[in-house]
Amino acid sequence: MAKIILTGDRPTGRLHLGHYVGSLRRRVELQNSGEFDKIFIMIADAQALTDNFDNPGKIRDNIIEVALDYLSAGLDPEKVNIFIQSEVTELTELTFYYMNLVTLSRLERNPTVKTEIQMRNFETSIPVGFLNYPISQASDITAFKATTVPVGDDQLPMIEQAREIVRKFNSTYGEVLVEPDALLPNNSVCSRLPGTDGKAKMSKSLGNCIYLSDTPEDISKKVMSMFTDPNHLKVSDPGSLEGNTVFTYLDAFCKDEHFEKYCPDYKNLQEMKDHYQRGGLGDVKVKRLLINVLEDELAPIRARRAEYEKNIKGVYDILKKGTDAAKKEAAQTLSEVKAAMKINYFEDPSLLEGWQEKYNG
Ligand code: TRP
């Protein structure tokens, strides 16, 4: 069976380091692994509207920002199809048929949706479109017959919902759809990078993000004010690694080579951590290392972004081409779905013949 990836992001803001370690970096590796027959990366504008319906301008503006972030992170339009969800109208049509296969109480039990409802104060009045978005996400995945969906662990309930819909569809109408598997980040640091303030999650609304498009000055300022160990007051004090954001970021980004290059007093991160815990290592030295490590990772991304920013029309063309390819794929699945449900009235001559026979013998 073909190995197919589909994944995506809601375009509600520029992408940050949390997105990068949690998914973008992995997508680029998967793209370059050559193991996948097709890769679709979706800018989920329609899903973003389910909780931003009153602010379509924000979503529209961020489509190009997210596309720029994708391309600058190293996604290669020759190898992946980057597309805009709302342009692939077949996805909406699939959603409509899948809605019959899911109960209201099942949607209300979805743990991710439950948390989001609380966060958005939707408790007293939930927009139908919002509650329904796991079904629409199942359409996104199944329209491409995706086998592999690289996501963070918060998305596991969505994949489970998609699998249930696939099973229900296939057992009701015949084998058409493919059950997808989630592909989770390979280590826990990458699953959820904390914000620069040490809070559990990097998030635009908390103002604790380092963006892929940040300048070197932004990064240096943000790292220097990062949360460390509040009890590590003097250099000579023993320091704690628990909840120490600077070390968490080093865990996510640092390689042994970085020590040789930027901090030859230590061979590797473990040696540096040991020294920090013993006492005698100041935060500033650790932060300087982190700035260098982040710069190594972000400088090429920033340079690629600058190139693409000079040619926004080119970025539009990439999105158009990816969207056309995605549309073709989704249309094929939709026609198989309708054939299985026998609602492809004008395409299946046997449907007409059945009536002919009934009334004219
Ligand atoms: N729900 C995802 C997010 O909030 C975005 C998304 C929409 C998605 N459709 C998808 C992810 C299909 C994976 C597969 O980031």
Side-chain angles (χ1 to χ4, degrees):
M1 191 169 62
K3 290 178 75 177
I4 299 172
I5 287 182
L6 175 115
T7 188
D9 303 277
R10 298 180 185 191
T12 52
R14 287 179 294 151
L15 301 183
H16 52 58
L17 285 186
H19 296 112
Y20 184 69
V21 298
S23 61
L24 272 182
R25 188 166 63 178
R26 184 77 173 288
R27 290 179 200 171
V28 176
E29 285 165 15
L30 293 168
Q31 156 194 285
N32 295 334
S33 74
E35 273 180 41
F36 291 87
D37 300 289
K38 290 179 201 160
I39 303 181
F40 296 92
I41 309 286
M42 181 181 73
I43 303 181
D45 65 327
Q47 188 177 108
L49 285 169
T50 65
D51 62 337
N52 289 281
F53 61 89
D54 51 355
N55 198 356
K58 171 173 124 185
I59 306 305
R60 189 178 57 242
D61 293 346
N62 280 305
I63 289 177
I64 283 291
E65 295 293 350
V66 169
L68 283 167
D69 286 331
Y70 282 167
L71 293 165
S72 54
L75 288 177
D76 174 356
E78 296 295 320
K79 297 186 181 143
V80 306
N81 295 295
I82 302 175
F83 72 96
I84 302 177
Q85 183 185 28
S86 65
E87 289 288 327
V88 182
T89 49
E90 288 79 1
L91 299 174
T92 325
E93 212 172 323
L94 283 175
T95 302
F96 192 71
Y97 299 122
Y98 294 171
M99 281 160 70
N100 299 325
L101 309 177
V102 181
T103 64
L104 185 57
S105 66
R106 175 65 183 89
L107 289 175
E108 285 169 340
R109 271 202 319 273
N110 185 308
T112 303
V113 173
K114 264 172 133 166
T115 327
E116 288 173 330
I117 284 173
Q118 271 174 0
M119 270 162 41
R120 289 166 180 71
N121 295 322
F122 278 165
E123 283 104 330
T124 47
S125 139
I126 312 171
V128 174
F130 184 78
L131 192 65
N132 196 48
Y133 94 72
I135 302 184
S136 131
Q137 190 156 335
S139 305
D140 303 335
I141 296 168
T142 56
F144 300 93
K145 304 216 167 123
T147 49
T148 311
V149 187
V151 281
D153 53 5
D154 63 314
Q155 294 293 302
L156 283 176
M158 303 301 156
I159 312 296
E160 195 41 49
Q161 177 69 81
R163 292 169 64 92
E164 281 174 35
I165 290 174
V166 168
R167 289 195 292 266
K168 182 97 178 181
F169 185 97
N170 286 351
S171 67
T172 310
Y173 303 114
E175 289 285 325
V176 173
L177 304 176
V178 175
E179 258 188 75
D181 284 309
L183 183 65
L184 294 174
N186 27 25
N187 71 54
S188 62
V189 185
C190 294
S191 297
R192 189 149 299 173
L193 196 71
T196 51
D197 55 359
K199 295 238 171 69
K201 207 176 163 182
M202 209 176 250
S203 130
K204 191 174 40 160
S205 53
L206 298 173
N208 60 5
C209 301
I210 295 178
Y211 292 98
L212 288 180
S213 48
D214 275 350
T215 63
E217 297 72 40
D218 294 333
I219 291 178
S220 164
K221 247 199 342 243
K222 288 180 184 179
V223 171
M224 280 303 167
S225 62
M226 250 166 100
F227 181 82
T228 56
D229 168 6
N231 299 316
H232 185 236
L233 299 173
K234 290 197 293 262
V235 171
S236 56
D237 290 340
S240 162
L241 303 175
E242 185 77 18
N244 190 319
T245 323
V246 179
F247 278 100
T248 311
Y249 281 34
L250 284 172
D251 277 329
F253 287 100
C254 185
K255 302 187 200 93
D256 290 355
E257 303 88 275
H258 289 127
F259 283 90
E260 209 179 307
K261 213 160 141 195
Y262 301 118
C263 200
D265 299 355
Y266 309 98
K267 269 209 297 296
N268 54 39
L269 186 55
Q270 192 53 52
E271 278 190 8
M272 183 180 230
K273 284 181 176 171
D274 291 344
H275 190 190
Y276 192 80
Q277 286 177 301
R278 274 199 312 274
L281 171 56
D283 282 343
V284 170
K285 187 161 175 177
V286 189
K287 287 179 167 175
R288 288 226 175 89
L289 171 67
L290 178 59
I291 292 172
N292 283 313
V293 167
L294 290 179
E295 264 309 296
D296 263 15
E297 191 94 21
L298 294 181
I301 295 180
R302 199 181 294 124
R304 266 194 299 265
R305 197 181 218 275
E307 284 308 305
Y308 281 112
E309 281 172 358
K310 283 189 217 145
N311 182 13
I312 296 297
K313 167 78 170 68
V315 177
Y316 256 82
D317 290 344
I318 289 169
L319 288 176
K320 178 76 172 67
K321 195 161 153 247
T323 301
D324 288 344
K327 227 177 141 60
K328 222 166 119 199
E329 204 74 23
Q332 172 61 31
T333 303
L334 178 63
S335 85
E336 289 170 30
V337 158
K338 293 177 80 171
M341 296 171 72
K342 299 207 186 311
I343 55 170
N344 55 341
Y345 307 107
F346 299 126
E347 267 144 45
D348 182 357
S350 75
L351 292 173
L352 173 61
E353 280 157 22
W355 287 109
Q356 296 271 46
E357 214 158 286
K358 177 167 179 190
Y359 287 114
N360 304 308

